[in-house]
Amino acid sequence: TCRRSTQVHHYNNTGKMAKGKAKKSTVKFVIDCAAPVDDKVLDIASFEKYLNERIKVGDGKTGNLAQCGVVITRDRTKITVASPQDLGFSKRQLKYLSKRYLKKQQLRDYLRVIAKSKNSYELKYYQITAGDDEEAEE
C-alpha cells in the first residue's frame, strides 16, 4: 500500500531524457527502534500511528500528510518518513514527537533519542553505571 521512492525517467521519442519531467527529490528520515522493539518494550505499530496523527506539514496542521506527499513506512524495527525536498520537513520535529511518545508510554526515563547520522535517529537505553552510588556517598 505504501509507495517506495524509485527513480523514474521519462524519455521522449528520440530516446533522450525529457527536460523538466524528472521526479522531485525526496528526503528520508529514519527512526531506528531496534533495541526497545527487540526487548518488546516499544510497540512500533502504535508509534507509527502516533506519528501519522501528530506530524504537522505544510501550513502547520496535522492530518494532511498525503496531500503534501509525506509517506511514513515501517518495517520490523525502523520507521521511515519520506518527504519531498521542497517541503522543508524538519528532522527536529521527529525527535520532539519521539520524545513525547516515549513520555506518554512512560519510557522516557529508560530510552533516549540520539542522532545516528545526518538524517536518522536511534532509540537507545540510558547507560547506567554501578559507580554512581559510591560518588553520591562521598
Side-chain angles (χ1 to χ4, degrees):
T1 58
C2 295
R3 291 176 279 149
R4 297 225 182 242
S5 175
T6 57
Q7 194 68 27
V8 176
H9 298 288
H10 295 280
Y11 293 93
N12 56 19
N13 58 4
T14 59
K16 298 197 176 183
M17 282 287 289
K19 291 183 180 175
K21 294 240 179 167
K23 189 175 180 183
K24 292 181 181 177
S25 59
T26 59
V27 183
K28 284 189 177 180
F29 299 105
V30 178
I31 303 174
D32 185 5
C33 312
V37 169
D38 290 342
D39 296 340
K40 294 183 174 55
V41 173
L42 184 91
D43 178 22
I44 199 159
S46 71
F47 185 32
E48 182 197 24
K49 183 176 180 280
Y50 181 85
L51 289 176
N52 261 314
E53 294 167 354
R54 301 288 199 299
I55 288 180
K56 293 182 179 180
V57 196
D59 54 358
K61 291 182 182 173
T62 59
N64 59 352
L65 294 180
Q67 295 96 316
C68 295
V70 178
V71 179
I72 301 176
T73 56
R74 73 174 148 90
D75 56 17
R76 201 178 69 76
T77 61
K78 291 182 181 172
I79 291 182
T80 306
V81 180
S83 163
Q85 178 87 42
D86 55 353
L87 192 61
F89 185 78
S90 168
K91 177 184 170 193
R92 182 79 191 166
Q93 185 183 177
L94 280 182
K95 183 172 187 177
Y96 169 74
L97 289 171
S98 300
K99 288 164 104 173
R100 271 191 56 187
Y101 178 77
L102 291 175
K103 181 79 171 172
K104 184 180 165 196
Q105 302 296 319
Q106 288 144 11
L107 296 170
R108 186 85 176 86
D109 295 335
Y110 312 106
L111 291 167
R112 58 193 293 205
V113 184
I114 300 175
K116 192 163 68 169
S117 70
K118 184 175 174 277
N119 55 0
S120 70
Y121 283 117
E122 181 179 19
L123 297 185
K124 273 190 166 181
Y125 289 105
Y126 282 108
Q127 295 296 319
I128 300 166
T129 56
D132 291 347
D133 297 333
E134 296 168 13
E135 293 170 8
E137 291 174 8
E138 291 177 20

